[in-house]
């Protein structure tokens, strides 16, 4: 054990920490003392084991032990080298004599010295772990390349030339994508899908088109679009995500200017020809990009205090921005979620008209109009488009432009700059803060909707909202046009025909792709009408009409509802709960005997929720809506939708050429009886309609799930019930929550109990672990192996030209294989595998009661993957195993810090290359390729030009070719967090990397703002609930920045700065996070009662919280209903 003692003395000696450019310090001595304490603990543990072995020694144990011939045990223990004790495995049997049994004496039994320990016992725990990690690394090594390497792979000579080659390629591809979008955006309907879609209630303005300037003329209007315009058209979720990108731009721009202007010169001049560190042998030919990182800085340099101060300034700037944006979020959430909005006419037409107890509460002003639907044909009314060119919009020359009434006016640059300088404010298109937002806590929150019987004129916040002005719309047959008094409206029947549907058998489902018209008369135009889709928008699903001070308004149905989960079914629990409650009869409803909907299950007299809430809230309680399992209905509806689409195509072809097609009834039409196609599919649709109705009855009579929605007539009692503990029982039973909006319900989770949800979450952990731990750097290493195999003689894929050529093309190809292609493969892996896996995991776990909760879960999983796999795993790679083994063996604390610091700084080149791919290529690619639906559009268009009659012949086909897809908040937020993590972590380490990340966020801000307004349609509206998740992750990244920089300073022997960062920054950030959470999160998660009591009383129909599958005629259903991400083939 003399070797261990010497090891301790060497670690305590000041000379052990002396390095070029600086010496040891008190902090270094403290680290050495801690290391020695661990060694003493190890020594004591081994001595205890040996003492126990000596006590239990017997004569039989000494039979095989002979006397020491040439060297005593003490001499063996004292064999040392210059660095410590010599390993015992180097002692051969020649040095230790092995005697025979005759040499054993009686005194050997009482020997006090323990026998020579085996090699395994002598090795300390750290050495064993170090050996294990080495074996793991070797197991994943092919040739000289480890598959566990980081993004750098096996290319140890990755230089600035490689990055320059990747940058050139990325820039060329990015420019081509940008030019393609600018040239094609007026010809491809996908790029303006929200303008053309009749499911969009508030459309953004038409962007300038025509001429060469069309390539760039869209940028200024998109940037100049006010936040109020984005809020009105796309919702608060879209606005808050846009503002998070805005926050990143605001954060990185000044930070980049300081980092590039101040820190980069300090790094670059430390070595090389400048040699500010006064090295004896400066490195002249060092890689230029590596010289810009902190790894080139001098050890114990006084300029490292600049980095120290810069970190605190960065943290202060970030905290100021986060606080300002959080203030805006809290204000906007109250403004958008809690206050009255414009009337919801779809609600009046399809929901309120089906309530048997509903009376005409608005004097007939908004009485719904019946829609004529015939079972004789599924062919929708013919559009004013030719079949030969189904993708070319029909221009309406009669539409006049009234620019003075534009809600979406583009603000001037002064107002845009003002909005960026005041992140805690929301400005309208006039550069002013809306009055109703400034006074969102006052008694009169804003101007409401006014209704005049004479001309149906509606105004909201000073704008004419009876219908959008013509300049706001793109002119198509699905857009606004001037109605002719003599021309009957398509899809809407006259008064004598309004009961045509009632006289027939009711449909199993309405045709969601059909169009009906809404007619209005404004103060300037009379006889205006617009086409509206049967498929409801989010604004239609979530809003309930009510009367406030004689004015018709729409309020958020979620503010009048409470979600109750885990209702007990045990008879003992129910008897205990009901012992103090009186029986209350349920509300009676009339039903359609032929197709009853789920109203039969509303407010049953034997329901425990009904009795409890009726007693506690006797005046405001309205109904209890139990959740039923409707999966079988959904299955038949999807089959019905597919069959009806085929029937519609066949009818359209028959109308076109007069030929009735035939088909075989067997598998894929390959065999079976040949029948008339139209007749077959018509019978198929009728059979499925019967099955749908039977499945509805079965769902209504089935056992209800343990979740229910409780409806109130005012927001105060609903808020109080959601935030209260109603019963003195187990906290896992009868739990109340804020109800998600009808558009935001994740029905799958509500069908599961708490135990089932917990079990599902546990079962998903292995899959999550596999995705988290599978190294993304595997692709870089694999390309390194591929590069080596191409140049290895005798290999099956040996390529002589690739290995021996010195031409510029050959060198460029090599750099692309080892530099550009790995980053692209990581991105493909992330989008195709990681994204879909996290989506499926979030659904199967059933931990989120809302669709927005699923997106938040995906965002969280994405952030963990960003941090563990990309930042730690892909950056450090196999170095993690080596560092872990060194840390446990404690051979040299300074060596551990050096290894870690070198790995952190050395990864800057590779993260720079990854950021270049995203900033220069993937951002423009997202502009021209917003979603995979663009491929579907192009293929359909090509087929239609090739005279395929069945393509684009029906309205549904034409709509589905370009229909807007949903914005994948979980994936997009996860990607934004990854780039934020890279930029924040390298803010003082690699100024070039931070500059590229800044460029990325500037591009993403413009692209996402355009797509949220014109391309993507929201699938739900949560009121910006994703922003608190992004806030929390940003704070975690600031902590990472502090520790990351502290490690860098330790490797540069800036002990004081490093320890100060370690000790102070976590406390500062924790306090900041606690204050913001206390001030804003609790306030923003629920509408304050001071605002709630001023809101109007509303009668929320139970149908609002009945799944559309269980409503009569499946009102509001479409194939993508209830999905978090729609249009991507996801479940």
């Amino acid at each position: 054990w003399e070797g261990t003692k010497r090891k301790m003395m060497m670690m305590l000696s000041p000379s052990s920490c002396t390095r070029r450019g600086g010496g040891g310090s008190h902090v270094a001595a403290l680290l050495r003392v801690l290391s020695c304490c661990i060694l003493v603990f190890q020594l004591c543990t081994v001595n205890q084991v040996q003492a126990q072995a000596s006590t239990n020694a017997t004569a039989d144990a000494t039979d095989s032990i002979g006397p020491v011939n040439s060297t005593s045990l003490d001499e063996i223990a004292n064999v040392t080298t210059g660095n410590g004790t010599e390993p015992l495995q180097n002692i051969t049997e020649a040095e230790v004599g092995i005697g025979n049994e005759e040499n054993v004496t009686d005194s050997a039994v009482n020997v006090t010295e323990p026998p020579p320990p085996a090699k395994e016992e002598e090795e300390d725990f750290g050495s064993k772990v170090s050996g294990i990690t080495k074996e793991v690394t070797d197991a994943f090594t092919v040739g000289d390349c480890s598959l566990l390497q980081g993004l750098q792979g096996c290319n140890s000579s990755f230089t600035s030339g490689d990055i320059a080659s990747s940058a050139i390629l990325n820039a060329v591809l990015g420019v081509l994508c940008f030019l393609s979008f600018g040239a094609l955006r007026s010809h491809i309907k996908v790029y303006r899908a929200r303008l053309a879609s009749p499911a969009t209630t508030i459309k953004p303005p038409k962007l300038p088109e025509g001429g060469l300037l069309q390539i760039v003329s869209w940028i200024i209007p998109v940037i100049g679009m006010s936040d109020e315009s984005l809020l009105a058209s796309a919702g608060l979720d879209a606005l808050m995500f846009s503002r998070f990108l805005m926050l990143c731009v605001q954060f990185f721009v000044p930070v980049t200017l300081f980092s590039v202007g101040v820190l980069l010169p300090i790094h670059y001049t430390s070595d090389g020809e400048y040699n500010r560190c006064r090295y004896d042998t400066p490195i002249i030919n060092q890689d230029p990009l590596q010289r810009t990182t902190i790894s080139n800085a001098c050890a114990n340099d006084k300029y490292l205090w600049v980095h120290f101060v810069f970190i605190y300034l960065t943290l202060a700037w970030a905290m100021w921005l986060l606080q300002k944006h959080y203030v805006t979020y809290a204000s906007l959430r109250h403004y958008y979620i809690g206050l009255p909005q414009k009337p919801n006419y779809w609600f009046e037409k399809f929901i309120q008209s089906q309530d048997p107890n509903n009376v005409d509460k608005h004097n007939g002003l908004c009485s719904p109009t019946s829609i004529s639907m015939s079972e004789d044909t599924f062919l929708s009314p013919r559009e004013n488009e030719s079949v030969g060119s189904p993708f070319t919009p029909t221009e309406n020359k009669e539409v006049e432009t009234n620019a003075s009434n534009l809600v979406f006016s583009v603000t001037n640059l002064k107002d845009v700059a003002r909005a960026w300088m005041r992140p805690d404010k929301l400005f309208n298109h006039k550069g002013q803060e809306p009055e109703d937002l400034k006074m969102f806590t006052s008694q009169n929150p804003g101007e409401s909707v006014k209704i005049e019987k004479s001309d149906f004129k509606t105004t909201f916040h000073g704008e004419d909202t009876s219908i959008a002005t013509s300049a706001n719309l793109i002119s198509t047959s699905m857009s606004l046009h001037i109605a002719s008094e003599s021309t009957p409206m398509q899809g809407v029947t006259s008064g004598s025909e309004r009961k045509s549907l009632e006289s027939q058998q009711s449909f199993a489902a309405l045709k969601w792709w059909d169009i009906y018209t809404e007619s209005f008369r404004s103060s300037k135009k009379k006889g205006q009408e617009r086409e509206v889709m049967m498929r409801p928008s989010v604004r239609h699903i979530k809003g309930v009409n009510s009367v406030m001070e004689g004015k018709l308004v729409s309020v958020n149905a979620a503010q009048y509802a409470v979600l109750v989960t885990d209702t007990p079914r045990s008879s003992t629990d129910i008897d205990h709960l009901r012992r103090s409650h009186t029986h209350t009869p349920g509300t009676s409803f009339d039903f359609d005997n032929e197709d009853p909907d789920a109203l039969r299950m509303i407010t049953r007299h034997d329901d425990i929720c009904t009795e409890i809430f009726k007693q506690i809230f006797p005046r405001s309680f309205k109904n209890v809506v139990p959740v039923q399992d409707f999966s079988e209905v959904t299955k038949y509806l999807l089959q019905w939708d597919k069959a009806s689409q085929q029937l519609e195509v066949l009818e359209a072809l028959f109308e076109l050429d007069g030929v009735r097609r035939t088909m075989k009834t067997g598998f894929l039409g390959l065999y079976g009886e040949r029948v008339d196609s139209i007749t077959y599919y018509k019978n198929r649709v009728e059979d499925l309609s019967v099955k749908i109705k039977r499945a509805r009855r079965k769902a209504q009579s089935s056992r209800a799930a343990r979740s229910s929605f409780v409806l109130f007539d005012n927001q105060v009692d609903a808020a109080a019930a959601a935030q209260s503990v109603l019963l003195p029982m187990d906290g896992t039973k009868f739990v109340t929550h804020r109800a998600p909006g009808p558009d935001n319900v994740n029905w799958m989770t509500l069908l599961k109990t708490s135990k089932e949800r917990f079990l599902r979450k546990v079962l998903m952990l292995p899959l999550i672990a596999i995705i988290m731990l599978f190294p993304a750097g595997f692709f870089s290493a694999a390309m390194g192996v591929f590069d080596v195999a191409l140049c290895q003689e005798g290999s099956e894929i040996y390529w002589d030209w690739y290995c021996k050529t010195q031409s510029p093309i050959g060198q460029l190809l090599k750099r692309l294989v080892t530099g550009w292609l790995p980053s692209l493969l990581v991105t493909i892996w992330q989008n195709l595998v990681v994204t879909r896996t996290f989506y499926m995991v979030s659904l199967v776990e059933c931990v989120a009661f809302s669709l927005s909760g699923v997106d938040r879960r995906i965002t969280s999983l994405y952030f963990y993957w960003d941090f563990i796999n990309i930042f730690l795993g892909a950056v450090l790679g196999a170095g993690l195993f080596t560092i872990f083994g060194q840390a446990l063996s404690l051979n040299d604390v300074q060596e551990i810090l050096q290894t870690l610091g070198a790995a952190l700084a050395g990864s800057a080149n590779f993260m720079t290359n990854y950021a270049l791919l995203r900033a220069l290529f993937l951002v423009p690619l997202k502009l021209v390729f917003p979603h995979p639906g663009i491929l579907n559009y192009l293929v359909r268009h090509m087929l239609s030009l090739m005279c395929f009659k069945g393509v684009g012949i029906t309205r549904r086909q034409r709509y589905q070719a370009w229909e807007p897809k949903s914005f994948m908040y979980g994936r997009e937020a996860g990607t934004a967090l990854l780039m934020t993590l890279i930029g924040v972590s390298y803010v003082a380490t690699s100024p070039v990397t931070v500059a590229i990340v800044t460029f990325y966020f500037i591009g993403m801000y413009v692209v996402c703002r355009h797509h949220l307004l014109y391309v993507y349609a929201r699938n739900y509206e949560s009121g910006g609930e994703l922003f608190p998740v992004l806030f929390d992750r940003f704070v975690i990244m600031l902590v990472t920045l502090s520790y990351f920089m502290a490690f860098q300073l330790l490797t540069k022997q800036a002990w004081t700065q490093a320890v100060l960062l370690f000790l102070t920054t976590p406390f500062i950030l924790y306090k900041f996070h606690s204050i913001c959470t206390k001030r804003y999160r609790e306030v923003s998660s629920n509408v304050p009662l001071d605002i709630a009591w001023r809101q109007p009383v509303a009668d929320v129909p139970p149908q609002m919280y009945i799944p559309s599958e269980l409503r009569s005629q499946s009102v509001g259903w479409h194939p993508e209903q209830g999905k978090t991400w729609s249009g991507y083939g996801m479940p």
Side-chain angles (χ1 to χ4, degrees):
W1 305 109
E2 289 294 329
T4 304
K5 297 177 183 178
R6 293 188 182 187
K7 190 175 182 179
M8 294 170 55
M9 296 303 297
M10 291 181 63
M11 296 185 69
L12 288 173
S13 62
S15 61
S16 65
C17 282
T18 303
R19 299 191 55 81
R20 185 175 75 163
S25 66
H26 297 291
V27 178
L30 177 60
L31 293 175
R32 294 194 295 274
V33 171
L34 293 176
S35 303
C36 292
C37 292
I38 297 177
L39 285 174
V40 171
F41 174 76
Q42 294 177 348
L43 180 61
C44 295
T45 303
V46 174
N47 286 337
Q48 291 178 359
V49 174
Q50 292 178 348
Q52 183 68 25
S54 176
T55 304
N56 298 333
T58 62
D60 294 337
T62 62
D63 289 344
S64 62
I65 302 177
V68 178
N69 291 338
S70 59
T71 308
S72 65
L73 292 175
D74 292 338
E75 291 173 341
I76 294 175
N78 290 330
V79 176
T80 62
T81 62
N83 294 328
T85 60
E86 181 180 315
L88 289 181
Q89 56 264 32
N90 295 332
I91 302 174
T92 63
E93 293 184 0
E95 297 174 330
V96 182
I98 305 299
N100 52 32
E101 297 179 0
E102 287 128 2
N103 293 331
V104 179
T105 61
D106 294 339
S107 61
V109 178
N110 299 324
V111 66
T112 58
E113 291 291 337
K119 292 188 296 182
E120 290 80 0
E121 296 178 359
E122 183 66 18
E123 293 178 351
D124 59 9
F125 177 71
S127 299
K128 292 181 180 179
V129 175
S130 181
I132 293 174
T133 57
K134 185 177 184 302
E135 293 177 0
V136 173
T137 304
D138 294 340
F140 288 89
T141 299
V142 179
D144 295 331
C145 180
S146 173
L147 296 179
L148 297 179
Q149 290 290 345
L151 287 178
Q152 65 269 35
C154 303
N155 187 12
S156 58
S157 60
F158 198 82
T159 63
S160 57
D162 300 321
I163 296 179
S165 301
S166 299
I168 293 173
L169 178 62
N170 291 326
V172 170
L173 294 176
V175 170
L176 290 177
C177 291
F178 179 81
L179 295 177
S180 300
F181 171 78
L184 298 175
R185 66 182 180 86
S186 61
H187 303 283
I188 297 181
K189 217 169 185 179
V190 174
Y191 298 142
R192 44 191 170 85
R194 293 191 73 244
L195 279 174
S197 175
T200 305
T201 53
I202 300 181
K203 302 176 185 290
K206 183 178 179 180
L207 294 174
E209 297 176 358
L212 186 61
L213 292 179
Q214 174 177 295
I215 297 177
V216 295
S217 60
W218 60 274
I219 299 178
I220 298 300
V222 168
I223 296 178
M225 202 82 66
S226 66
D227 284 348
E228 187 186 39
S229 301
L230 180 60
L231 175 65
S233 180
L236 188 55
D237 288 327
L239 175 61
M240 292 313 303
F241 185 79
S242 174
R243 289 185 70 90
F244 177 76
L245 297 177
M246 173 184 175
L247 183 153
C248 293
V249 175
Q250 291 172 320
F251 170 77
F252 281 113
V253 167
V255 166
T256 300
L257 293 177
F258 186 93
S259 183
V260 173
V262 178
L263 300 185
L264 191 147
I266 294 177
H267 300 164
Y268 197 82
T269 58
S270 297
D271 204 343
E273 61 273 17
Y274 299 98
N275 196 17
R276 187 173 50 80
C277 299
R278 301 181 183 276
Y279 293 142
D280 296 334
T281 56
I283 303 176
I284 302 299
N285 296 323
Q286 187 179 6
D287 183 73
L289 189 60
Q290 193 67 26
R291 288 182 62 180
T292 63
T293 65
I294 196 175
S295 61
N296 198 53
C298 308
N300 199 16
D301 188 5
K302 62 181 180 179
Y303 287 105
L304 292 176
W305 282 103
V306 178
H307 297 73
F308 174 78
V309 175
F310 175 60
I311 293 298
Y312 280 96
L313 292 177
T314 301
L315 296 180
W317 174 239
M319 289 187 290
W320 185 83
L321 285 175
L322 287 170
Q323 188 268 341
K324 293 298 183 182
H325 281 277
Y326 218 143
V327 170
T328 305
Y329 165 68
S331 302
L332 287 175
R333 183 167 171 82
H334 298 158
Y335 167 74
Y336 188 75
I337 299 298
L339 298 184
Q341 304 292 327
K342 305 172 186 179
N344 183 358
Y345 298 106
W346 186 92
F347 167 81
E348 295 277 355
K349 184 182 297 292
F350 293 105
I351 299 297
Q352 201 159 17
S353 62
Q354 289 191 356
D355 189 346
N357 292 337
N358 178 53
V359 295
D360 192 0
K361 300 177 182 179
H362 309 306
N363 299 324
L365 294 181
C366 296
S367 58
T369 302
S370 300
I371 297 178
S372 177
M373 302 182 63
S374 173
E375 287 186 329
D376 295 334
T377 175
F378 261 84
L379 182 60
S380 299
R382 190 55 82 165
E383 293 177 287
N384 295 325
E385 296 175 320
S386 62
V387 177
S389 57
F391 303 96
T392 304
T394 304
E395 299 294 337
N396 192 338
K397 302 300 182 181
E398 299 182 17
V399 176
E400 298 180 2
T401 301
N402 190 354
S404 61
N405 292 333
L406 278 178
V407 180
F408 295 93
S409 299
V410 178
T411 58
N412 55 44
L413 295 180
K414 180 179 179 181
D415 293 332
V416 173
R418 185 185 177 201
W420 279 72
M421 295 300 293
R422 298 290 303 275
D424 57 336
K425 302 294 183 182
L426 177 82
F427 297 100
N428 56 22
H429 61 281
K430 298 180 180 179
Q432 302 173 354
E433 186 178 10
E435 291 295 329
D436 46 4
L437 179 59
K438 290 192 296 184
M439 51 189 301
F440 72 95
T441 55
S442 64
Q443 187 171 359
N444 296 318
E447 190 130 1
S448 302
V449 179
K450 299 179 180 178
I451 298 182
E452 301 177 10
K453 298 181 182 180
S454 58
D455 58 3
F456 291 81
K457 179 181 178 181
T458 59
T459 59
F460 191 81
H461 303 310
E463 61 171 289
D464 185 1
T465 62
S466 59
I467 192 165
T469 57
S470 57
N472 291 349
L473 305 175
I474 187 169
S475 298
T476 67
S477 62
M478 292 187 178
S479 308
L480 170 68
H481 59 277
I482 306 301
S484 174
E485 296 291 341
S486 59
T487 304
M489 296 180 294
Q490 292 180 348
V492 180
T493 62
S494 62
S496 61
E497 298 174 336
R498 288 182 179 178
K499 294 185 179 181
S500 61
L501 180 61
E502 300 174 4
S503 62
Q504 303 173 3
Q505 289 186 342
S506 60
F507 281 104
L510 300 180
K511 294 190 287 184
W512 59 266
W513 59 92
D514 257 355
I515 304 296
Y516 69 94
T517 54
E518 289 181 351
S519 59
F520 301 87
R521 285 181 296 170
S522 64
S523 57
K524 296 184 179 180
K525 291 286 182 180
K526 296 186 178 182
Q528 289 183 334
E529 62 182 32
R530 61 179 174 185
E531 292 182 332
V532 182
M533 203 171 197
M534 297 279 288
R535 170 182 174 174
S537 68
V538 169
R539 197 181 304 272
H540 293 152
I541 301 174
K542 66 190 294 291
V544 176
N545 287 346
S546 179
V547 177
M548 181 178 182
E549 299 179 357
K551 307 164 187 175
L552 182 65
V553 296
S554 175
V555 293
N556 191 352
Q559 303 303 319
Y560 296 83
V562 173
L563 174 62
V564 181
T565 60
D566 299 292
T567 304
R569 285 178 176 170
S570 171
S571 58
T572 304
D573 293 338
I574 292 177
D575 290 342
H576 173 72
L577 292 175
R578 302 173 80 178
R579 63 187 181 185
S580 59
H581 297 282
T582 58
H583 169 71
T584 303
T587 305
S588 61
F589 290 95
D590 297 328
F591 305 102
D592 179 5
N593 295 327
E594 195 268 334
D595 184 24
D597 63 13
L599 284 176
R600 191 181 298 275
M601 304 298 297
I602 303 303
T603 321
R604 299 190 312 180
H605 65 276
D606 59 344
D607 184 74
I608 184 64
C609 291
T610 301
E611 299 189 6
I612 292 174
F613 282 97
K614 184 64 176 179
Q615 182 177 18
I616 300 178
F617 304 96
R619 296 183 178 179
S620 59
F621 168 75
K622 287 298 182 182
N623 293 298
V624 171
V625 185
V627 177
Q628 305 290 138
D629 186 2
F630 54 89
S631 56
E632 186 177 3
V633 184
T634 303
K635 180 184 70 173
Y636 289 133
L637 278 171
L638 292 174
Q639 296 176 9
W640 175 89
D641 182 72
K642 184 177 180 180
S644 64
Q645 184 175 15
Q646 285 293 116
L647 176 59
E648 194 175 26
V649 171
L650 292 170
E651 289 179 345
L653 290 173
F654 176 70
E655 183 179 306
L656 182 66
D657 55 19
V659 178
R660 295 181 70 93
R661 273 72 178 174
T662 60
M663 59 174 291
K664 292 183 179 181
T665 58
F667 178 72
L668 296 178
L670 299 178
Y671 63 91
E673 180 185 1
R674 182 169 293 277
V675 296
D676 180 78
S677 298
I678 294 179
T679 303
Y680 172 82
Y681 278 107
K682 190 171 291 186
N683 294 334
R684 173 74 172 162
V685 168
E686 293 176 356
D687 292 342
L688 288 172
S689 298
V690 174
K691 291 182 179 180
I692 291 170
K693 296 174 182 178
R694 290 175 180 174
R696 282 205 194 103
R697 295 191 187 97
K698 182 179 178 181
Q700 295 159 13
S701 60
S702 64
R703 192 177 188 183
R706 297 192 180 184
S707 301
S708 302
F709 289 97
V710 183
L711 305 180
F712 298 83
D713 65 359
N714 66 78
Q715 296 188 17
V716 175
D717 288 347
Q723 303 176 49
S724 305
V725 178
L726 299 181
L727 297 176
M729 60 181 303
D730 184 0
T732 61
K733 298 178 180 179
F734 209 86
V735 183
T736 58
H737 315 264
R738 282 189 307 109
D743 59 304
N744 194 23
V745 179
N746 184 15
W747 297 102
M748 182 186 298
T749 302
L750 299 182
L751 299 174
K752 309 300 178 184
T753 64
S754 58
K755 293 181 180 180
E756 291 173 335
R757 295 194 296 268
F758 175 78
L759 180 61
R760 284 169 167 264
K761 190 171 183 179
V762 171
L763 293 177
M764 287 295 102
L765 289 179
L767 181 57
I768 295 175
I770 292 174
I771 295 297
M772 293 290 180
L773 299 180
F774 181 82
F778 173 85
F779 301 100
S780 300
M783 294 310 300
V785 173
F786 178 71
D787 179 67
V788 172
L790 286 176
C791 296
Q792 186 176 2
E793 295 185 3
S795 173
E796 296 180 357
I797 59 174
Y798 175 73
W799 190 3
D800 183 73
W801 178 85
Y802 176 84
C803 302
K804 297 180 180 180
T805 183
Q806 299 297 325
S807 64
I809 297 179
Q811 295 298 319
L812 176 62
L813 181 61
K814 290 181 180 179
R815 288 177 173 177
L816 295 182
V817 169
T818 58
W820 180 78
L821 194 56
S823 298
L824 182 63
L825 291 176
V826 170
T827 304
I828 295 175
W829 166 263
Q830 174 185 351
N831 291 334
L832 295 184
V833 178
V834 176
T835 297
R836 291 181 176 269
T837 302
F838 285 161
Y839 181 85
M840 296 302 299
V841 166
S842 300
L843 288 182
V844 175
E845 281 182 331
C846 291
V847 297
F849 297 114
S850 63
L851 300 180
S852 61
V854 175
D855 260 331
R856 294 196 300 273
R857 175 62 174 164
I858 296 172
T859 301
S860 299
L861 291 175
Y862 240 113
F863 177 76
Y864 301 145
W865 182 81
D866 295 341
F867 191 88
I868 296 173
N869 205 303
I870 295 295
F871 182 69
L872 293 181
V875 171
L876 299 179
L880 279 176
F881 295 95
T882 304
I883 294 169
F884 183 65
Q886 289 179 353
L888 291 178
S889 59
L890 289 174
N891 290 326
D892 191 342
V893 176
Q894 190 69 17
E895 181 181 354
I896 296 171
L897 296 178
Q898 275 188 330
T899 305
L900 182 60
L904 296 178
S907 63
N909 281 12
F910 314 109
M911 300 310 294
T912 301
N913 184 57
Y914 181 77
L916 275 172
L917 174 70
R918 287 204 164 274
L920 298 182
F921 174 44
L922 295 184
V923 170
L925 179 63
K926 188 173 184 62
L927 190 63
V928 73
F929 193 83
H931 51 71
I934 189 72
L935 297 178
N936 178 44
Y937 176 87
L938 295 176
V939 170
R940 285 174 178 263
H941 186 47
M942 292 176 62
L943 292 177
S944 66
L945 296 177
M946 296 170 64
C947 299
F948 281 83
K949 296 181 179 180
V951 178
I953 197 171
T954 65
R955 164 174 275 148
R956 178 172 16 181
Q957 286 182 328
R958 289 189 288 272
Y959 175 75
Q960 289 179 331
W962 53 264
E963 66 175 328
K965 307 295 189 292
S966 66
F967 188 73
M968 297 188 290
Y969 283 102
R971 190 193 75 174
E972 298 300 334
T975 303
L977 288 176
L978 171 60
M979 297 302 296
T980 308
L981 177 63
I982 295 174
V984 169
S985 301
Y986 287 89
V987 72
T989 300
S990 177
V992 175
T993 305
V994 182
I996 297 173
V997 172
T998 304
F999 186 78
Y1000 166 84
F1001 278 110
I1002 293 175
M1004 278 299 295
Y1005 175 78
V1006 178
V1007 172
C1008 284
R1009 200 171 177 88
H1010 173 273
H1011 285 354
L1012 288 171
L1013 281 167
Y1014 295 93
V1015 178
Y1016 296 117
R1018 52 180 174 170
N1019 238 24
Y1020 62 82
E1021 178 57 56
S1022 69
E1025 291 182 349
L1026 182 63
F1027 182 79
V1029 178
L1030 300 177
F1031 172 85
D1032 293 342
R1033 301 310 182 267
F1034 205 108
V1035 174
I1036 293 176
M1037 288 185 283
L1038 294 178
V1039 176
T1040 304
L1041 165 63
S1042 304
Y1043 284 165
F1044 190 89
M1045 193 61 205
F1047 275 115
Q1048 299 287 344
L1049 294 175
L1050 284 176
T1051 62
K1052 294 302 176 182
Q1053 301 176 24
W1055 308 103
T1056 304
Q1057 298 97 310
V1059 171
L1060 287 176
L1061 284 178
F1062 268 121
L1063 298 179
T1064 59
T1065 52
F1067 173 77
I1068 295 174
L1069 293 172
Y1070 170 78
K1071 195 66 177 177
F1072 166 75
H1073 183 269
S1074 300
I1075 293 175
C1076 288
T1077 300
K1078 186 176 181 180
R1079 286 185 177 181
Y1080 309 119
R1081 176 164 298 182
E1082 296 299 328
V1083 176
S1084 60
S1085 60
N1086 297 286
V1087 175
L1089 298 182
D1090 183 61
I1091 298 178
W1093 75 270
R1094 296 173 183 154
Q1095 304 313 308
V1097 174
D1099 186 9
V1100 180
Q1103 292 97 324
M1104 296 294 290
Y1105 278 99
I1106 294 177
S1108 56
E1109 289 86 342
L1110 297 182
R1111 295 173 185 164
S1112 179
Q1113 301 182 6
S1114 298
V1115 171
W1117 181 86
H1118 56 88
E1120 300 297 318
Q1121 176 73 27
K1123 294 183 179 181
T1124 306
W1125 298 345
S1126 64
Y1128 300 95
M1130 299 285 197

